[in-house]
Amino acid sequence: MSRTPKDPELASRLSRRNVLGVAAGATAATLLSGAAAQASSQDGGHGKDHGPGKGHGHGKGRAVLPPGRLGIQLYSLRDKVSTLGFAPVFAELEKYGYDEIEFAGYTQGSAGAITLAQLKRLAKDHGLNPIGSHVGYYDDNNPGAYTFAQNLTKVLDEAQALGLKHIGTASGPFRYGSTVDGWKRAAEDFNTYGAEARKRGMKFYQHNHAEEFSFATDKPKVRLYDVLLAETDPDLVYLEMDIYWAFCAQFRFGKRVDGTPAPFNPIDYVLKQPDRYPLFHVKDGTRNDAARDGYDMTDVGDGDIDYKNFLSRVTARTHPQGLGSARPGETPFGRTYHHWQTEHDNPVESLAFARKSSEHLHSLRESRCGD
């Protein structure tokens, strides 16, 4: 595995960072190098060669990815966390050029126990900003469940202890069913969680899958995601768009139950209310019209979702002057950029996925005249 990213801008930035981190991370890097190197040799250190027709934009213009805003959902690396612990994984992510992490649990599984204070310190030692976390929405059959509905105070206490700016759920708002009124009740729950999170300086968010874009069972012309947006307070409830699942929903729910067309473009939701989408999941898929979801999940950069276009349009819409002379992570107006978390539910080799995803997204460039 090459220790130096192929993107010169990324390489220059990483040369100024402590590549090894804490001693535990350095030791762990040795343990991981064999598996990562094997994966690198299998894919040649690149994603698929898309060519100009894919529109993935490996040009020489300005970087599409905003500086300091690349993260990863640690669910993608759960196999390595459970066998080796957080320290080895964080050491690798630092070398791959990641800036942020999003949690999917705060334990190491079979790798042993770790306190929240240790976890926070470990992330800091590797230059990783814990930006958010996924927690269950509800488990009404278990009053002791670690969910927003059953243990809101504990969930927020632990998020605050980790210094998280966002705390959310990847559970769909189906607690009370798939009717309009059922989703209005779920929206009331979310408003409550958002209000409590806001008191602690955090933003509550909901992460979508495809089903959120389906239609209400009692009003089949009403898209449930539209109910969620309309009934939640935009100052209390935010959204993390999983771009892959949103495109799957476009395929699955582009028609109503009666067969009448109901097309939508995922990016239009973001462009209408960009401030409601602080977080994104960058997950790729190869188009497959024979599959239920219309895509087969794959490593970022190996699929057919045009992330250059998506990142470019979102960044341009929110920050029309682009990067300019802003400091890393800021716009010329002092506002922060969105946060982009790579993810794969079941990668073939999770560390290779993490490396390839970072490499691909850092390589994306805006087109210039003559390119």
Side-chain angles (χ1 to χ4, degrees):
M1 178 181 66
S2 172
R3 299 299 189 192
T4 303
K6 294 176 175 59
D7 174 39
E9 180 178 309
L10 176 60
S12 175
R13 179 161 62 88
L14 291 182
S15 68
R16 297 190 297 271
R17 299 175 65 177
N18 176 7
V19 177
L20 294 179
V22 295
T27 302
T30 302
L31 296 175
L32 293 169
S33 60
Q38 180 180 3
S40 179
S41 65
Q42 290 173 347
D43 61 43
H46 297 276
K48 191 182 296 181
D49 182 10
H50 295 289
K54 289 283 186 178
H56 287 267
H58 301 280
K60 296 180 181 180
R62 187 179 62 202
V64 171
L65 183 70
R69 286 297 180 265
L70 179 63
I72 188 168
Q73 166 52 251
L74 292 173
Y75 181 76
S76 305
L77 300 167
R78 62 194 181 279
D79 60 328
K80 295 298 189 290
V81 172
S82 66
T83 55
L84 296 171
F86 283 111
V89 172
F90 287 0
E92 292 298 294
L93 294 178
E94 183 179 15
K95 288 187 292 184
Y96 300 160
Y98 281 93
D99 309 292
E100 300 175 336
I101 48 175
E102 183 183 34
F103 289 105
Y106 312 132
T107 65
Q108 301 187 111
S110 59
I114 186 170
T115 68
L116 295 177
Q118 290 171 332
L119 187 54
K120 181 179 180 181
R121 178 68 185 184
L122 187 62
K124 182 178 180 180
D125 287 342
H126 288 287
L128 298 170
N129 178 30
I131 193 64
S133 180
H134 285 187
V135 176
Y137 167 20
Y138 69 95
D139 185 349
D140 292 335
N141 296 318
N142 178 10
Y146 189 75
T147 63
F148 283 95
Q150 277 67 45
N151 279 289
L152 177 60
T153 299
K154 183 177 181 181
V155 167
L156 296 181
D157 282 347
E158 296 194 346
Q160 192 169 20
L162 283 167
L164 301 182
K165 297 299 183 184
H166 307 82
I167 180 69
T169 183
S171 303
F174 293 96
R175 185 182 187 184
Y176 309 108
S178 299
T179 64
V180 170
D181 285 343
W183 273 53
K184 287 182 177 180
R185 290 182 63 190
E188 291 178 6
D189 288 347
F190 286 5
N191 285 332
T192 298
Y193 309 151
E196 292 303 310
R198 186 177 183 179
K199 292 177 183 178
R200 299 169 181 246
M202 293 182 286
K203 292 180 179 179
F204 170 80
Y205 65 96
Q206 195 270 341
H207 166 280
N208 67 275
H209 292 85
E211 287 72 22
E212 281 86 342
F213 295 88
S214 62
F215 298 94
T217 53
D218 59 332
K219 296 182 179 180
K221 291 186 178 181
V222 176
R223 196 180 297 279
L224 288 171
Y225 196 71
D226 295 335
V227 177
L228 179 66
L229 287 172
E231 297 297 326
T232 50
D233 186 331
D235 292 325
L236 300 177
V237 178
Y238 296 83
L239 292 309
E240 176 180 63
M241 178 173 281
D242 186 306
I243 301 170
Y244 169 83
W245 286 122
F247 274 94
C248 291
Q250 183 188 49
F251 176 84
R252 290 177 59 186
F253 304 113
K255 293 182 179 180
R256 299 184 183 89
V257 178
D258 63 4
T260 57
F264 73 94
N265 191 335
I267 198 171
D268 290 341
Y269 279 102
V270 180
L271 298 183
K272 288 178 182 178
Q273 301 184 66
D275 290 341
R276 293 201 75 178
Y277 292 87
L279 305 170
F280 292 89
H281 271 199
V282 180
K283 183 186 301 181
D284 212 345
T286 303
R287 187 62 184 255
N288 179 3
D289 289 354
R292 183 199 67 166
D293 294 317
Y295 292 87
D296 296 321
M297 196 178 298
T298 189
D299 289 352
V300 176
D302 286 354
D304 296 311
I305 297 177
D306 187 353
Y307 279 105
K308 177 195 169 185
N309 177 65
F310 205 99
L311 270 74
S312 294
R313 291 187 65 192
V314 170
T315 301
R317 169 63 178 82
T318 312
H319 318 289
Q321 293 184 19
L323 300 183
S325 58
R327 292 176 294 176
E330 293 185 344
T331 73
F333 311 105
R335 296 171 58 194
T336 57
Y337 285 97
H338 303 277
H339 305 266
W340 306 89
Q341 316 294 310
T342 65
E343 187 186 32
H344 191 312
D345 290 359
N346 293 291
V348 174
E349 213 301 317
S350 58
L351 288 173
F353 156 76
R355 176 187 53 75
K356 288 168 59 181
S357 298
S358 174
E359 200 171 80
H360 173 70
L361 292 173
H362 278 107
S363 74
L364 296 179
R365 292 290 183 271
E366 298 283 6
S367 298
R368 299 188 309 181
C369 293
D371 283 357

